[in-house]
Amino acid sequence: MLSGIDVSGNQGGVDFAALAASGGANYVYAKATEGVTFVDDHFALYHDACKKNNIPVGAYHFLRFNTIDNPIAQAKHFLQTIAGREGELLPMVDVEVTDGQPIATLTQTLDAFMSEVEQTLGGKRMLLYTFYSYWNSAMQGSNSFSGHPLWIAEYNSSAAPSLPGGFNDWVVWQWSSSGTVPGIGTSVDMDRLKTDQLSLISR
């Protein structure tokens, strides 16, 4: 398995040269956007530093389900923000809140958002990040997205994560939210790619 991290402005200043020299992460995902207006103020910096230090990088969007957060508008906001900074890795959508909406709204919003983004991916599908407990409860184990590569968050000491309903396999496993790596002074999310080949999540 290859080790990676996902970061946002919460990590503050990151020494990507030190991270690269240490081999502490074979790939990095950086938060780009959330909802229809928020842009992570560290995204461009993180992306450019990863490129400079030859660390494969991808971007992700935190999906909101409020009625004001139209999924197509969110997708366009994400794509506009990452334009020219798409990275080498498939984009990821972070799904972990309900914003008080019913499952029908959750599934319709997620489907519309991903369909819009995937028009730019030449037939590939974006990564779907979610928590095991969230998917089984809020999404009721929906199998509507089983064709998308799953990035599952579940913190345990097992050899592999549990699979939520609706999925037969996982691609990336966020196994800790309190990891430490050289170059980052705060705790950071730690991830494992199921294979030792980044081609599985490359654009």
Side-chain angles (χ1 to χ4, degrees):
M1 295 184 185
L2 292 181
S3 297
I5 60 173
D6 55 277
V7 294
S8 69
N10 292 332
Q11 272 66 54
V14 175
D15 185 344
F16 283 96
L19 179 64
S22 73
N26 301 117
Y27 59 94
V28 170
Y29 269 83
K31 182 177 182 178
T33 50
E34 179 174 336
V36 295
T37 58
F38 178 82
V39 176
D40 192 295
D41 59 4
H42 283 68
F43 170 70
L45 178 66
Y46 288 167
H47 170 277
D48 294 353
C50 283
K51 298 287 284 187
K52 181 179 179 181
N53 290 282
N54 299 310
I55 304 173
V57 61
Y60 77 88
H61 174 81
F62 190 100
L63 192 65
R64 304 301 311 211
F65 297 95
N66 295 311
T67 54
I68 60 172
D69 289 319
N70 178 279
I72 304 303
Q74 290 192 65
K76 292 183 182 299
H77 174 50
F78 175 62
L79 291 170
Q80 290 168 0
T81 299
I82 69 172
R85 290 188 168 94
E86 293 88 351
E88 300 86 356
L89 307 179
L90 288 169
M92 178 263 276
V93 57
D94 183 333
V95 183
E96 58 179 278
V97 297
T98 67
D99 292 320
Q101 301 301 315
I103 185 172
T105 300
L106 302 182
T107 55
Q108 290 166 9
T109 299
L110 176 57
D111 181 64
F113 174 85
M114 290 198 294
S115 295
E116 184 72 17
V117 173
E118 286 167 357
Q119 292 182 35
T120 71
L121 296 181
K124 292 192 174 184
R125 292 185 169 184
M126 63 187 309
L127 287 159
L128 194 168
Y129 168 100
T130 193
F131 281 85
Y132 173 84
S133 56
Y134 169 90
W135 196 265
N136 279 345
S137 59
M139 288 290 192
Q140 299 176 19
S142 172
N143 62 5
S144 298
F145 305 93
S146 59
H148 290 82
L150 174 66
W151 183 330
I152 186 69
E154 187 190 36
Y155 309 143
N156 61 40
S157 57
S158 300
S162 306
L163 285 174
F167 292 95
N168 296 318
D169 204 357
W170 60 277
V171 172
V172 181
W173 173 21
Q174 185 186 90
W175 59 274
S176 174
S177 62
S178 56
T180 57
V181 292
I184 299 182
T186 66
S187 60
V188 65
D189 294 334
M190 304 295 294
D191 306 295
R192 290 174 180 151
L193 181 64
K194 193 170 188 179
T195 179
D196 60 358
Q197 300 295 323
L198 280 172
S199 57
L200 187 63
I201 56 171
S202 295
R203 281 177 170 269

